[in-house]
């Protein structure tokens, strides 16, 4: 694959990663739920595995040091051509850079940051590894959405740092903005007001495609996880919000229109 073909438009969600206490048990959970296989990845931040679906990399799972007690959550990574320049832009726009930028071996360069509301995300400057290599089929990340109290303030941060164009839903009781790059919807901001979980605060939510939302939700429970919001019909698919055995929250969805192409309308409206 040439560098030109591999390049992801800056701002595009390109990878999701999870850092947990029990790497082996978490690997077993996602392997059983999504049919992932695993192989080792860069270990600059500790033991790390890449989940593969039919030989294609889709997500990463790493292990926290024993003395670290951080929230267990999926992290959305946004593509950049220069992690150092983007990190400086994040700082200058009121965000915080907590880790990096640092090299992940020959795979690329990364940083972990948070927006002004405190929502954590990553930035990824791909080299040998450009991110998720397949999408739209069961077991793959299909959409990424910032869940926050209100979107207007934080939208300016993401627009300035990543150059998104935004399309807002015109509604008195629904606060939702889709983020576009080159006229393509790539992610969204969802303001939920007082419905924002107090124990989580603003956060990026990863949606994973499944073949059957109800069966997948039941499987989550069988494997030791929890269903936080039962399967329900959204505007473009059937979705449920679940948590893995360590508490990492994610959404499973059976897209009505074929996965990633419908991502911009996956919100439960």
């Amino acid at each position: 694959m040439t560098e030109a073909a591999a390049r992801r438009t800056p701002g595009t969600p390109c990878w999701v990663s999870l850092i947990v206490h029990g790497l082996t048990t978490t690997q077993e959970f996602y392997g059983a739920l999504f049919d992932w296989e695993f192989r080792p990845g860069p270990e600059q931040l500790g033991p790390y595995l890449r989940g593969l679906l039919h030989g294609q990399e889709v997500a990463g799972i790493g292990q926290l040091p024993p003395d670290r007690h951080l929230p267990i959550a999926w992290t959305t990574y946004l593509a950049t051509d220069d992690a150092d320049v983007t990190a400086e832009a994040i700082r200058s726009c009121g965000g915080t850079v907590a880790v990096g930028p640092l090299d992940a071996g020959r795979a690329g360069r990364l940083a972990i940051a948070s927006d002004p509301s405190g929502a954590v995300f990553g930035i990824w400057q791909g080299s040998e590894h450009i991110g998720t290599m397949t999408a739209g089929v069961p077991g793959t990340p299909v959409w990424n959405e910032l869940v926050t109290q209100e979107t207007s303030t934080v939208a300016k941060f993401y627009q300035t740092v990543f150059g998104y164009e935004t399309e807002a839903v015109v509604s008195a009781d629904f606060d939702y903005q889709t983020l576009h790059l080159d006229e393509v919807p790539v992610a969204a901001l969802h303001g939920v007001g007082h419905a924002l979980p107090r124990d989580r605060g603003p956060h990026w939510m990863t949606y994973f495609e499944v073949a059957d939302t109800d069966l997948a939700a039941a499987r989550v429970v069988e494997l030791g996880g929890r269903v936080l919001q039962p399967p329900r019909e959204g505007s473009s698919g059937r979705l449920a919000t679940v948590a893995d055995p360590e508490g990492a929250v994610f959404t499973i969805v059976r897209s009505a229109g074929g996965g990633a192409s419908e991502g911009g309308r996956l919100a439960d409206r």
Side-chain angles (χ1 to χ4, degrees):
M1 182 178 290
T2 67
E3 183 175 346
R7 179 182 178 274
R8 300 284 172 90
T9 302
T12 305
C14 61
W15 187 245
V16 291
S17 191
L18 175 66
I19 309 298
V20 297
H21 296 288
L23 187 57
T24 300
T25 53
T26 300
Q27 176 183 344
E28 291 171 352
F29 172 85
Y30 287 100
L33 181 63
F34 291 141
D35 201 25
W36 292 350
E37 298 176 341
F38 294 88
R39 69 180 176 208
E43 298 195 349
Q44 274 66 24
L45 299 176
Y48 190 79
L49 298 170
R50 289 180 182 156
L52 288 80
L53 187 67
H54 310 307
Q56 300 292 308
E57 296 170 344
V58 293
I61 301 175
Q63 183 167 313
L64 277 170
D67 58 340
R68 298 294 295 275
H69 297 283
L70 299 174
I72 306 299
W74 280 99
T75 299
T76 297
Y77 281 78
L78 306 175
T80 176
D81 285 341
D82 190 320
D84 296 81
V85 169
T86 301
E88 188 53 44
I90 289 167
R91 294 188 190 97
S92 67
C93 292
T96 301
V97 178
V99 177
L102 55 84
D103 289 327
R106 293 177 297 182
R109 190 162 172 79
L110 67 90
I112 306 294
S114 59
D115 66 27
S117 74
V120 174
F121 63 95
I123 55 174
W124 179 255
Q125 177 186 336
S127 181
E128 288 188 357
H129 172 70
I130 62 165
T132 301
M133 295 303 293
T134 185
V137 298
T140 62
V142 70
W143 189 243
N144 293 271
E145 181 174 292
L146 174 67
V147 182
T148 189
Q149 190 162 16
E150 60 86 26
T151 66
S152 61
T153 303
V154 76
K156 294 171 183 160
F157 168 83
Y158 287 100
Q159 286 174 298
T160 303
V161 174
F162 295 105
Y164 298 121
E165 296 177 355
T166 62
E167 179 184 356
V169 173
V170 180
S171 170
D173 58 357
F174 192 71
D175 181 11
Y176 193 89
Q177 297 194 47
T178 306
L179 304 179
H180 294 254
L181 291 169
D182 301 327
E183 301 184 355
V184 176
V186 296
L189 312 176
H190 189 183
V192 297
H194 296 299
L196 186 70
R198 292 187 179 182
D199 59 339
R200 298 192 68 203
H203 58 276
W204 278 89
M205 175 75 78
T206 301
Y207 289 67
F208 290 96
E209 186 76 19
V210 293
D212 184 310
T213 304
D214 296 74
L215 289 177
R219 186 70 172 134
V220 166
V221 175
E222 291 173 5
L223 295 169
R226 293 177 296 140
V227 175
L228 304 180
Q229 294 182 34
R232 60 205 186 275
E233 293 298 330
S235 61
S236 287
R238 187 164 177 80
L239 64 164
T241 305
V242 299
D244 71 17
E246 287 204 22
V249 178
F250 57 100
T251 296
I252 51 176
V253 61
R254 172 65 174 98
S255 299
S261 64
E262 292 293 302
R265 297 176 292 281
L266 277 176
D268 182 27
R269 300 178 187 172

